[in-house]
Amino acid sequence: MLASRDITWGIVGVTQRSATVARHLAPQNGLFTVSERGQGSAPVRVVSSITEAISGRDNPEAVVQRISHPDTAIITLTITEKGYRFDPQTGGLDLSDELVMADLNGSAPLTAVGQLTRGLQRRAARDAGPITVVSCDNLPANGELTKRLVLDFAAALPAEESGPLTAWIEANTAFPSTMVDRMVPATTADDLQEVEQELGLRDEAAVVAEPFMQWVIEDNFAERRPRWEDAGAVFTADVAPWEAAKLRLLNASHSLLAYLGLASGKETIAEAVSDDAFRAACAGLMLDDVLPVMDLPDGLNGKAYCAQILERFGNSALGHTTAKVGSDGSQKIGLRLLTTVRDNLDAGREPRWAALAVAAWMRHVATTAADRLDDPLTEALHAALPAPGNRTADMVVPTLLGVRNVFDKSLAEDERFITLLKHWYGIIENGPDGLRKEILHG
Ligand code: CS2
């Protein structure tokens, strides 16, 4: 049931690297179910907002066409951190990325930023009117970042194209920032089976999620928008403190749990957080390392927010895997953890728990074979590592700190941080019992 009863809107769904979801949705006329798992779950729901599903990899032209269509008013992006292809050192578009270069050279665009900018370029040519781009990913100032990447792409085009396109983007687009929060693990074969039993129908595109959901959106739209507030979205003038709280408290402790779990054979986040020591480490990260160095949004009670996060992690009906949350670490730890490390060091404090998370990530990288490490920087990370027989704390920590796509120079050279990382790395290496002891009594 549509909360706003407004049926003039619909969604064209676009998949990026894998065409699977588009392939599953097409024969179902875009219909799919959402099943909540855990306490307070609502009954299974059929969602009918998707009018068309396109594989952006197989049909980039259709994506460009859609973006330029006068009926399109809003583009939302949920493409994960690595989908943006930005250079963490500059915050700008990574112009050395092969796919970005190909998109700039005029081939059918395959990157999200390429498709978006080419779509805007055609929209300008068609004079199809203003449009809003809404990033929904876990990145600080995700709206500003997306705008910057689009403008970087436009600026890298030949001068006769880039000038007019940049001017059109400045005059006709809005890029509000948002904070989206809902844990949605990858759907498994068992989930599909369960949904089939509940529904009496097979849904290949079924989505399983926790009951909790939150969407805070900067009230900055170029044109019309659906009444998302009728379904619980919150519009506000400044999303930044909400995003920061989510990234640095929820996502950071999610990553910590994932790497602690991976180091000790825990398959899910719920299993990891049910371990007393790991739960204490998470609470330590949030309460000792993060809350003292950050400003919370008005109206958010820090301690209650952290307690709620731990409770959500404990949802054992969800099956959120440590492998999934631990994937793409090179793209996540900077945003989630290193700001906290920096702020603590600057304040003369010890980022004990944030350093534990980074050390646990390093250990995960050093102990996972290159063909099994799920990370876009696997090649660079493994090239930096010492030979397998030499992967001790003293060897691994400095070599991984040298990967400039992850650590900036000043942090990589901070003796206090290096000492903490080596300390934790050595402890993790000695096995889960010692690790638990050190966390609880260290
Ligand atoms: C998770 C997030 O996979 C991850 O890295 O930390 O996807 C997390 O589940 C969501 O941000 C929750 O809103």
Side-chain angles (χ1 to χ4, degrees):
M1 186 64 189
L2 273 173
S4 68
R5 296 174 206 282
D6 178 356
I7 53 161
T8 58
W9 291 91
I11 300 172
V12 176
V14 176
T15 58
Q16 281 288 317
R17 286 179 315 147
S18 150
T20 315
V21 177
R23 219 179 44 236
H24 286 156
L25 282 170
Q28 302 183 177
N29 291 329
L31 296 173
F32 68 99
T33 54
V34 175
S35 300
E36 296 183 358
R37 295 276 184 261
Q39 264 200 345
S41 288
V44 63
R45 234 165 74 105
V46 177
V47 180
S48 57
S49 326
I50 295 195
T51 56
E52 190 186 349
I54 303 174
S55 158
R57 190 196 60 193
D58 299 335
N59 202 352
E61 168 56 25
V63 181
V64 170
Q65 194 57 21
R66 269 292 164 192
I67 294 173
S68 72
H69 196 285
D71 284 352
T72 308
I74 297 173
I75 300 162
T76 69
L77 299 176
T78 308
I79 56 176
T80 79
E81 296 84 349
K82 67 178 171 224
Y84 289 81
R85 295 173 193 271
F86 69 100
D87 173 349
Q89 293 303 315
T90 63
L93 187 63
D94 182 358
L95 295 171
S96 67
D97 181 288
E98 278 176 23
L99 284 182
V100 171
M101 285 197 285
D103 288 2
L104 281 166
N105 286 335
S107 49
L110 290 178
T111 66
V113 170
Q115 290 175 348
L116 187 52
T117 319
R118 290 296 187 186
L120 296 177
Q121 191 173 23
R122 191 167 309 165
R123 192 173 178 92
R126 285 174 78 171
D127 199 15
I131 191 160
T132 304
V133 181
V134 187
S135 164
C136 298
D137 286 294
N138 291 322
L139 299 153
N142 51 13
E144 268 168 59
L145 174 80
T146 309
K147 180 171 184 182
R148 160 135 194 226
L149 301 179
V150 165
L151 288 175
D152 283 355
F153 188 97
L157 291 169
E160 65 278 15
E161 291 177 55
S162 77
L165 177 56
T166 303
W168 188 89
I169 292 171
E170 290 294 359
N172 291 284
T173 61
F175 289 77
S177 282
T178 67
M179 183 275 262
V180 183
D181 190 5
R182 186 174 219 189
M183 290 175 211
V184 184
T187 308
T188 63
D190 284 351
D191 292 329
L192 292 182
Q193 199 72 36
E194 263 178 60
V195 171
E196 185 171 352
Q197 262 157 23
E198 265 172 89
L199 200 67
L201 282 172
R202 182 78 179 169
D203 174 10
E204 294 293 348
V207 172
V208 169
E210 63 172 336
F212 181 94
M213 60 176 137
Q214 189 178 30
W215 195 13
V216 184
I217 310 168
E218 185 189 339
D219 205 351
N220 165 29
F221 282 67
E223 248 271 357
R224 63 194 197 283
R225 65 162 176 82
R227 291 184 51 82
W228 284 318
E229 59 272 47
D230 290 346
V234 173
F235 286 87
T236 173
D238 186 12
V239 177
W242 291 97
E243 283 183 303
K246 190 211 164 196
L247 257 180
R248 295 176 66 176
L249 293 163
L250 185 147
N251 294 118
S253 44
H254 221 188
S255 292
L256 169 61
L257 273 182
Y259 299 120
L260 291 177
L262 286 165
S264 55
K266 311 248 187 229
E267 208 174 312
T268 65
I269 292 292
E271 273 173 62
V273 82
S274 72
D275 182 303
D276 279 358
F278 296 173
R279 190 183 184 87
C282 255
L285 172 62
M286 295 192 280
L287 303 178
D288 302 345
D289 286 5
V290 183
L291 285 183
V293 295
M294 80 174 292
D295 294 326
L296 289 177
D298 282 345
L300 187 72
N301 176 322
K303 288 206 173 129
Y305 185 62
C306 298
Q308 185 190 41
I309 288 170
L310 288 176
E311 198 180 307
R312 288 170 59 200
F313 287 163
N315 181 349
S316 57
L318 203 58
H320 212 173
T321 63
T322 48
K324 177 79 192 354
V325 178
S327 67
D328 295 347
S330 69
Q331 313 290 298
K332 294 175 179 170
I333 66 159
L335 307 170
R336 297 177 177 197
L337 291 154
L338 298 181
T339 321
T340 293
V341 171
R342 178 82 276 157
D343 287 352
N344 275 277
L345 293 173
D346 287 351
R349 306 177 87 253
E350 185 179 72
R352 182 157 190 253
W353 307 109
L356 167 61
V358 177
W361 168 71
M362 288 181 158
R363 168 97 179 132
H364 174 63
V365 170
T367 53
T368 309
D371 58 350
R372 300 199 40 230
L373 186 67
D374 190 356
D375 194 299
L377 285 192
T378 297
E379 218 177 294
L381 294 167
H382 269 259
L385 282 173
N390 284 335
R391 294 194 182 159
T392 58
D394 280 345
M395 299 288 284
V396 170
V397 169
T399 50
L400 288 182
L401 279 173
V403 178
R404 281 291 158 269
N405 271 332
V406 181
F407 300 97
D408 67 44
K409 197 159 176 300
S410 88
L411 204 54
E413 288 174 358
D414 192 298
E415 285 304 328
R416 295 164 297 172
F417 186 37
I418 297 174
T419 307
L420 275 172
L421 287 174
K422 287 186 180 170
H423 165 77
W424 281 122
Y425 195 102
I427 287 181
I428 299 167
E429 202 166 32
N430 287 335
D433 290 346
L435 173 60
R436 283 192 189 95
K437 221 166 116 207
E438 178 68 18
I439 291 173
L440 291 173
H441 312 293

